[in-house]
Amino acid sequence: MSVIFTLALVCFSYYFYQVFFTANIETKGKPTYVIVHRGDDWKAALKTIDATGVVVDKLSLHFVAKLMKYPEHVKPGRYELKDGYTNRQLINVLKAGLQSPLKLTFTNVRLRRELADKLSNQIDAQPRQIDSLLSSPAYTRSLGFDTTSVLGMFIPNTYELYWNTSADNLMKRMKKEYEKFWTPARDAQREKLNLSRAQVSTLASIVEAEQQQHADERPRIAGVYLNRLKRGMKLQADPTVVYANRDFTIKRVLNVHLQKDSPYNTYKYNGLPPGPINLPSITSIDAVLKPESNSYLYFCAKEDFSGYHAFAANERDHIMNARRYQAALTRAGIK
């Protein structure tokens, strides 16, 4: 009996060692992450982990999870399943809520609802939660903005944060990043232009929309618009007309589009629109802060469709440039 008992003890000890201290996660070098959602119980969490296909022995993982009382300590979050993790290591990470941060990005945004959707796809917040904050006069005022200028608070970049960041904490984080972005040097540059931070963002959004392909041309375009503002001329920026019409399929701005009565229609109203028409890149913001010094007042796309523009200091030359471009559009069958 003692021999049998000893053998059984040895076997049990070996199994115990195996399930607790032998590597049970095999990712083959591929970064693997799982999200444990709010309200998930331990079975749902482990099912999500099982579905990744990186668990060598699922049964032993579930066994260790119960022994280590994971059912009583499930914490939502985004976790990395690291290659070589033992069951014990993984359950300790899950129980402690030791999340792996994510890289938050947002680009190609024009409307508030688009931003809310993009952000909610990356963190644990519903689009309506984010949108309700962005559309709240009181809340945006607490951040130093209004509901039209608040999009300028979001500087397109890559930010590291945790998946379970709330909508409110995200706004506070973006405000903090915004203040970091506006260094004394940038503030000094905008003050020379007699522009507020919000106005710089709005003008940069127009520059961004005008030149999406070639960033090297943005300082020249910024210079043109600043020249027009100084002279009290309407900006007459086609992208603002597109935005005013809320029809982003428009390829060719026509007279019918110019009739839209909107403060964003810079053919109808002087000065800058009330807020940005997209989230301008840092390159575009810096192009406004460091514009090219030139005498141009007009520009239009070049007829070679290179993505660059033809610039003019007077209306006569601009009309000639515009006619060449319109003729090229017609030849290409673009309406």
Side-chain angles (χ1 to χ4, degrees):
M1 285 291 291
S2 61
V3 174
I4 295 174
F5 177 78
T6 301
L7 286 173
L9 183 62
V10 169
C11 289
F12 178 78
S13 298
Y14 177 75
Y15 177 73
F16 185 86
Y17 179 85
Q18 287 289 106
V19 299
F20 271 86
F21 302 106
T22 300
N24 197 33
I25 299 297
E26 189 176 291
T27 66
K28 295 182 171 62
K30 181 182 178 182
T32 305
Y33 301 89
V34 293
I35 290 178
V36 177
H37 291 90
R38 297 181 192 277
D40 282 356
D41 62 15
W42 74 284
K43 290 183 178 179
L46 293 186
K47 184 177 180 180
T48 300
I49 294 171
D50 292 343
T52 63
V54 302
V55 181
V56 178
D57 183 353
K58 298 176 183 177
L59 185 62
S60 69
L61 176 61
H62 287 238
F63 174 68
V64 170
K66 290 182 71 174
L67 284 181
M68 292 181 66
K69 302 186 184 304
Y70 179 50
E72 302 164 25
H73 301 280
V74 178
K75 292 182 173 66
R78 177 180 180 267
Y79 300 95
E80 182 178 4
L81 305 182
K82 294 185 178 180
D83 196 36
Y85 258 175
T86 65
N87 288 329
R88 179 173 175 272
Q89 287 174 316
L90 176 56
I91 298 303
N92 275 333
V93 165
L94 296 172
K95 284 178 62 179
L98 300 177
Q99 296 184 64
S100 177
L102 55 80
K103 306 291 186 182
L104 180 75
T105 61
F106 40 86
T107 55
N108 301 319
V109 172
R110 288 173 295 221
L111 301 173
R112 191 176 62 223
R113 67 171 181 272
E114 291 177 337
L115 178 60
D117 286 340
K118 288 203 172 190
L119 294 174
S120 69
N121 284 336
Q122 299 175 75
I123 65 170
D124 185 25
Q126 295 298 314
R128 57 180 173 75
Q129 294 174 318
I130 298 172
D131 190 59
S132 68
L133 295 181
L134 294 175
S135 58
S136 166
Y139 188 82
T140 53
R141 194 181 310 117
S142 73
L143 296 172
F145 298 88
D146 58 38
T147 56
T148 55
S149 66
V150 70
L151 291 189
M153 183 178 75
F154 294 81
I155 309 293
N157 211 333
T158 301
Y159 302 98
E160 190 173 272
L161 45 74
Y162 291 108
W163 172 80
N164 61 348
T165 300
S166 68
D168 178 49
N169 284 336
L170 175 64
M171 297 301 125
K172 292 174 180 175
R173 171 68 183 278
M174 290 299 100
K175 169 65 173 177
K176 183 178 178 181
E177 296 292 344
Y178 177 81
E179 294 299 334
K180 284 170 59 178
F181 172 80
W182 281 103
T183 60
R186 283 193 171 103
D187 272 328
Q189 288 166 342
R190 69 163 182 80
E191 285 170 3
K192 287 181 183 178
L193 299 171
N194 198 29
L195 295 175
S196 67
R197 291 176 176 181
Q199 288 173 323
V200 170
S201 294
T202 298
L203 181 52
S205 73
I206 298 173
V207 172
E208 176 98 2
E210 291 280 19
Q211 183 48 279
Q212 300 178 40
Q213 294 177 253
H214 307 294
D216 59 307
E217 196 181 65
R218 291 173 188 169
R220 177 168 292 183
I221 293 173
V224 173
Y225 282 130
L226 287 168
N227 289 342
R228 294 181 73 91
L229 285 173
K230 288 174 186 175
R231 294 193 179 204
M233 301 171 66
K234 291 184 175 69
L235 292 184
Q236 296 184 328
D238 286 0
T240 67
V241 177
V242 173
Y243 187 89
N245 281 270
R246 294 297 196 274
D247 182 358
F248 302 111
T249 65
I250 296 173
K251 301 297 182 185
R252 194 171 182 176
V253 173
L254 305 173
N255 284 331
V256 65
H257 303 129
L258 299 179
Q259 304 313 308
K260 181 70 175 181
D261 188 15
S262 165
Y264 287 91
N265 184 349
T266 57
Y267 276 81
K268 273 186 172 291
Y269 295 96
N270 279 81
L272 291 164
I277 60 173
N278 57 51
L279 300 188
S281 64
I282 293 174
T283 303
S284 292
I285 294 173
D286 285 340
V288 171
L289 294 174
K290 297 179 180 179
E292 178 185 278
S293 179
N294 59 56
S295 59
Y296 298 129
L297 293 172
Y298 306 90
F299 66 92
C300 69
K302 282 189 172 181
E303 71 271 17
D304 61 2
F305 299 122
S306 63
Y308 282 102
H309 296 81
F311 293 81
N314 57 69
E315 191 171 15
R316 182 196 63 197
D317 291 345
H318 173 62
I319 290 173
M320 292 175 62
N321 290 335
R323 283 175 178 169
R324 282 194 288 268
Y325 179 62
Q326 294 295 332
L329 286 176
T330 300
R331 287 194 299 272
I334 300 174
K335 298 181 179 181

